[in-house]
Amino acid sequence: MKKQLTIACMLFAMITIQAKAQSSKLLRYNQQYTGAVAKKKVYKAIYQLDSNEPKIIEKAIRNINNVLKDPRLKGHLQIELVAFSGGTEAYLKKNSQYEKPLQGLIEKGVIVAQCLNTLEEKHIAKEELFDFIGYVPSGNGELILRANEGWVIVKP
């Protein structure tokens, strides 16, 4: 009985040591990880802006600016920001705090577009929006078309 208990303890100790060694190996591997490698010539993403929450609008703009700085993707990105529903608020002249950040995105090559269905439903005239905004017939239609063209849809 004493001999069996000793063998069981030794086996348990060996398993514990192996588990710690495996865990240590995984921790080192994770520590050295630097992310995926860009292998394509072009990556395409469409950002969906359908919320009028200032934090969400700011997050969308910040996320796009951040991805444009990613050294793996620099020079390999096509990005579109499409607003519909509540996201239209970001493009209204009365919300001037978004004018410069949106112009900055366009100057970096980002397409900034508005859903015409939303304007019709909410009775908003194009003249109420910044004059540099592009237009699409429907925001959802744009997402569907882009997705079928291989674009990634990002919802901040």
Side-chain angles (χ1 to χ4, degrees):
M1 176 87 162
K2 195 174 183 180
K3 188 175 183 180
Q4 291 173 334
L5 185 59
T6 303
I7 292 172
C9 286
M10 288 175 53
L11 284 173
F12 180 74
M14 287 174 43
I15 290 169
T16 302
I17 290 169
Q18 285 179 339
K20 285 184 180 180
Q22 178 66 17
S23 174
S24 180
K25 181 179 176 184
L26 291 172
L27 291 172
R28 280 193 307 279
Y29 173 77
N30 192 75
Q31 181 185 30
Q32 295 169 3
Y33 184 72
T34 58
V37 176
K39 297 176 184 173
K40 295 181 177 183
K41 288 185 179 184
V42 178
Y43 293 86
K44 301 173 184 181
I46 183 166
Y47 285 73
Q48 173 182 335
L49 184 57
D50 62 354
S51 172
N52 63 355
E53 287 291 321
K55 287 184 178 185
I56 300 296
I57 295 169
E58 292 163 10
K59 181 180 178 184
I61 294 168
R62 184 177 61 251
N63 284 351
I64 294 169
N65 278 312
N66 285 342
V67 77
L68 289 168
K69 292 179 200 169
D70 188 319
R72 301 169 298 173
L73 296 170
K74 210 158 186 90
H76 301 280
L77 280 172
Q78 277 186 291
I79 297 179
E80 182 175 334
L81 173 62
V82 64
F84 57 94
S85 189
T88 301
E89 290 289 317
Y91 296 174
L92 293 173
K93 289 178 183 174
K94 69 179 185 179
N95 292 323
S96 62
Q97 71 269 29
Y98 302 120
E99 184 174 12
K100 292 265 188 256
L102 291 170
Q103 284 176 335
L105 292 179
I106 293 168
E107 289 168 359
K108 294 173 186 170
V110 175
I111 298 295
V112 177
Q114 168 62 45
C115 166
L116 288 172
N117 281 343
T118 298
L119 297 185
E120 184 179 327
E121 290 169 7
K122 294 184 178 244
H123 307 290
I124 300 171
K126 285 183 178 180
E127 293 74 31
E128 295 178 59
L129 277 64
F130 302 121
D131 61 3
F132 52 81
I133 299 298
Y135 296 93
V136 295
S138 75
N140 282 302
E142 189 72 0
L143 293 171
I144 291 166
L145 291 168
R146 292 302 195 190
N148 280 281
E149 293 172 351
W151 290 53
V152 172
I153 297 174
V154 181
K155 183 170 172 47

